[in-house]
Amino acid sequence: MTFDSMAIGAGPRATAREDADTRLDTRTLQQLDSAHFLHPFTDHGALGAKGARVIVRGDGIHVWDSDGHKIIDGMSGLWCVNVGYGRTSITQAVARQMDVLPFYNSFFNTTNVPAVKLAEKLAGLAPPGFEHVFFTSSGSEANDTALRMVWRYWQLMDQPERRIVISRRNAYHGSTVAGASLGGMTAMHAQGALPISGIDHIEQPNFAEHGRGLSEAEFGLLAADWLEQKVLELGPDKVAAFIGEPVQGAGGVIIPPQTYWPQIQRICDKYGILLISDEVICGFGRLGTWFGCERMGMRPDLIPFAKGVTSGYVPLGGVLVGERVARALVERGGDFNHGFTYSGHPVACAAALENLRIIEDEKLVERVARETGPHLKAAFARLANHPLVGHAESIGMAAGLNLVRRKGATVHDCEPFARDLAVGMVCRQHMFDNGVIMRAVGDRMIVAPPLVMTVAQIDEMVERIRLCLDLTLNDLRQRGWLD
Ligand SMILES: *Cc1c(COP(=O)(O)O)cnc(C)c1O
């Protein structure tokens, strides 16, 4: 297999400065990288031995590495680049704002024009009842903010003993102390005294893992009822909020049955518990609706967001605050003693405004709902026929498939590979080497492509994925890991 290669830095928008930066050869960059740059979620011993892949350029759905390989970015960077790379109108909006006002804070009764415009824009796009937004610079900070708001809310409601936030195992809510605590990643908890007090977890709504013997609809209700059991165990007067991603992203594109979220909503309503829909991935069109809660059928009180709001061009996050919390916090809360230097950063807000204009003008949300989402779903359903694939699922522009040792009649009868073989990483390497980025979550391979990906590009991506599954199959046979 060959893929299009391109001289580094020779793209249409490459500048003299980029040229100088990228003229360092790959090996030198890797050595400097390994010597000085501590990467997130990375085993540095292994990275040093192998060398990082250096990404130097992006355009549309593609990125290029420092050896000139052109790669389909099936992960939108990291669930971020909804409008694709190389959108010069965002660059221009950012440059203009940098010239006019690169920074001002929004503490002490001050504000700035892009932040005002963006807050108004987001209130218009959000589900009914969301008129307020609090800005942060990341998804983790957004979830920290949501937690602070929940605790403040119950204080203002004269029920300060309501402090516990319930989340799910294998949830991802960021990597600050509160974010990692709210998340359900046991490997993250294990490296510190996490979760912090006041956070509890229930099992995730993963049909493949827990649904044996049930229909998906039955399992959805059962998994939601785990919340009610937990509430009763802790005491309803102690529970402040429930937090969940509409579809778990980092956990492996875990799509709950349709019965799950409406039942979670009923339980939250029954006990007066606040509902937080972490839309850092699902917001801004990923599921074919502006927000994932609309697709999944719940009415949250708080919506943390980040990633897709700027397509990752500039860091920005925030929390959309629904009526119930806003009434307490805004109308009678007095000072809310929380905020960040970069809350409402004018440059980030300018990037977001232009990014949202693109999503609206190009009707990307509608395209995902009507055209590309269904196309991706059909393509992944066909991949499920591959001998290495146990089952495959898809929703909007997010999809996942499980690599299995032996296929079964149902998702519950597949025989998995031994965990320590790390088959997902073997597969991921073949993907990368053949021009497509998929992420491995254990032995589940996932994609979340840019929302601008066309139907033809989906076909090309899925063709490459199938080829790489073949290569992985042969590789595993040669290693003696398959009969
Ligand atoms: C990425 C992510 C976060 C954390 O966002 P950061 O910007 O990395 O802090 C939080 N929640 C979800 C659902 C995410 O996918």
Side-chain angles (χ1 to χ4, degrees):
M1 160 123 211
T2 61
F3 33 77
D4 317 89
S5 65
M6 199 157 180
I8 300 151
R13 280 179 309 284
T15 63
R17 178 56 203 267
E18 277 167 14
D19 245 350
D21 287 346
T22 51
R23 230 179 274 134
L24 289 172
D25 67 83
T26 301
R27 194 65 209 127
T28 307
L29 282 164
Q30 287 172 332
Q31 280 163 354
L32 293 172
D33 174 76
S34 164
H36 303 294
F37 181 10
L38 286 174
H39 294 232
F41 290 94
T42 295
D43 172 345
H44 279 271
L47 183 75
K50 205 159 155 262
R53 190 177 294 255
V54 184
I55 303 298
V56 295
R57 202 169 81 77
D59 192 26
I61 63 158
H62 295 102
V63 291
W64 282 261
D65 72 12
S66 55
D67 293 326
H69 296 123
K70 180 183 178 184
I71 308 164
I72 297 174
D73 184 5
M75 281 307 298
S76 306
L78 198 59
W79 323 87
C80 287
V81 189
N82 288 8
V83 298
Y85 298 92
R87 306 302 300 242
T88 46
S89 66
I90 300 180
T91 325
Q92 285 158 5
V94 164
R96 260 197 314 275
Q97 187 56 45
M98 285 266 192
D99 278 342
V100 174
L101 181 71
F103 174 72
Y104 199 77
N105 74 77
S106 44
F107 293 39
F108 320 128
N109 291 323
T110 55
T111 192
N112 68 76
V113 178
V116 174
K117 284 189 178 165
L118 180 61
E120 191 253 355
K121 182 76 205 164
L122 288 169
L125 293 173
F130 285 86
E131 294 297 331
H132 296 85
V133 60
F134 192 103
F135 289 118
T136 71
S137 297
S138 72
S140 300
E141 288 174 0
N143 283 318
D144 274 56
T145 299
L147 184 64
R148 297 285 307 275
M149 283 180 174
V150 163
W151 285 341
R152 179 69 180 137
Y153 171 82
W154 286 114
Q155 210 178 44
L156 288 166
M157 300 307 285
D158 291 324
Q159 297 181 58
E161 65 287 355
R162 280 213 196 229
R163 268 189 72 83
I164 302 174
V165 178
I166 301 174
S167 177
R168 287 105 42 98
R169 195 184 65 77
N170 198 37
Y172 190 76
H173 298 300
S175 195
T176 52
V177 168
S181 294
L182 288 167
M185 297 294 176
T186 44
M188 291 172 76
H189 294 169
Q191 291 184 351
L194 302 181
I196 55 171
S197 73
I199 292 168
D200 212 319
H201 295 83
I202 58 174
E203 256 308 330
Q204 60 175 338
N206 185 342
F207 179 66
E209 195 175 69
H210 301 291
R212 178 182 287 279
L214 299 173
S215 71
E216 286 204 49
E218 287 166 344
F219 173 68
L221 295 176
L222 173 81
D225 286 342
W226 294 333
L227 173 61
E228 183 159 29
Q229 283 167 29
K230 180 58 88 176
V231 170
L232 294 174
E233 173 198 318
L234 297 167
D237 55 341
K238 300 282 195 303
V239 179
F242 177 73
I243 184 169
E245 304 150 82
V247 170
Q248 285 155 264
V253 185
I254 310 293
I255 306 164
Q258 280 180 6
T259 50
Y260 179 76
W261 277 112
Q263 182 73 352
I264 290 280
Q265 180 75 60
R266 278 191 284 276
I267 295 164
C268 288
D269 290 346
K270 182 172 171 186
Y271 297 101
I273 297 164
L274 292 169
L275 180 55
I276 309 168
S277 182
D278 180 347
E279 305 252 1
V280 172
I281 285 174
C282 296
F284 307 101
R286 176 69 48 200
L287 305 187
T289 45
W290 274 97
F291 292 91
C293 56
E294 299 164 299
R295 172 81 192 252
M296 304 312 279
M298 82 287 218
R299 293 169 282 100
D301 298 292
L302 296 170
I303 301 180
F305 63 87
K307 296 188 173 124
V309 69
T310 56
S311 284
Y313 277 56
V314 181
L316 179 70
V319 182
L320 282 157
V321 182
E323 222 171 348
R324 180 176 164 196
V325 176
R327 221 179 295 131
L329 210 64
V330 179
E331 291 175 17
R332 57 192 189 82
D335 263 359
F336 179 42
N337 297 317
H338 172 72
F340 302 104
T341 301
Y342 298 133
S343 289
H345 194 289
V347 175
C349 293
L353 281 164
E354 180 54 21
N355 174 62
L356 296 175
R357 187 200 63 74
I358 293 173
I359 295 177
E360 277 191 305
D361 281 7
E362 298 181 6
K363 300 200 177 351
L364 294 181
V365 182
E366 295 83 343
R367 255 175 71 187
V368 171
R370 301 216 185 97
E371 190 190 351
T372 48
H375 196 79
L376 183 68
K377 192 179 187 76
F380 260 68
R382 286 192 295 277
L383 282 177
N385 300 330
H386 192 276
L388 207 51
V389 177
H391 51 96
E393 294 80 18
S394 173
I395 183 167
M397 286 296 262
L401 57 83
N402 278 55
L403 304 175
V404 297
R405 196 167 176 282
R406 196 166 294 121
K407 290 163 86 85
T410 72
V411 298
H412 302 112
D413 302 314
C414 299
E415 187 190 325
F417 288 98
R419 247 185 181 283
D420 58 336
L421 295 179
V423 165
M425 293 310 285
V426 175
C427 182
R428 181 178 180 277
Q429 192 63 46
H430 285 294
M431 298 281 177
F432 233 130
D433 291 344
N434 288 280
V436 59
I437 296 172
M438 272 192 115
R439 179 164 168 188
V441 182
D443 291 346
R444 186 159 168 85
M445 305 301 298
I446 61 175
V447 288
L451 309 187
V452 290
M453 185 177 268
T454 63
V455 160
Q457 288 171 327
I458 290 174
D459 290 340
E460 188 194 344
M461 176 180 74
V462 171
E463 216 170 281
R464 284 195 198 190
I465 290 173
R466 184 177 287 278
L467 172 94
C468 295
L469 289 170
D470 289 342
L471 293 172
T472 307
L473 185 70
N474 287 338
D475 188 341
L476 298 180
R477 283 209 179 105
Q478 273 166 22
R479 293 171 193 238
W481 295 355
L482 272 170
D483 315 321

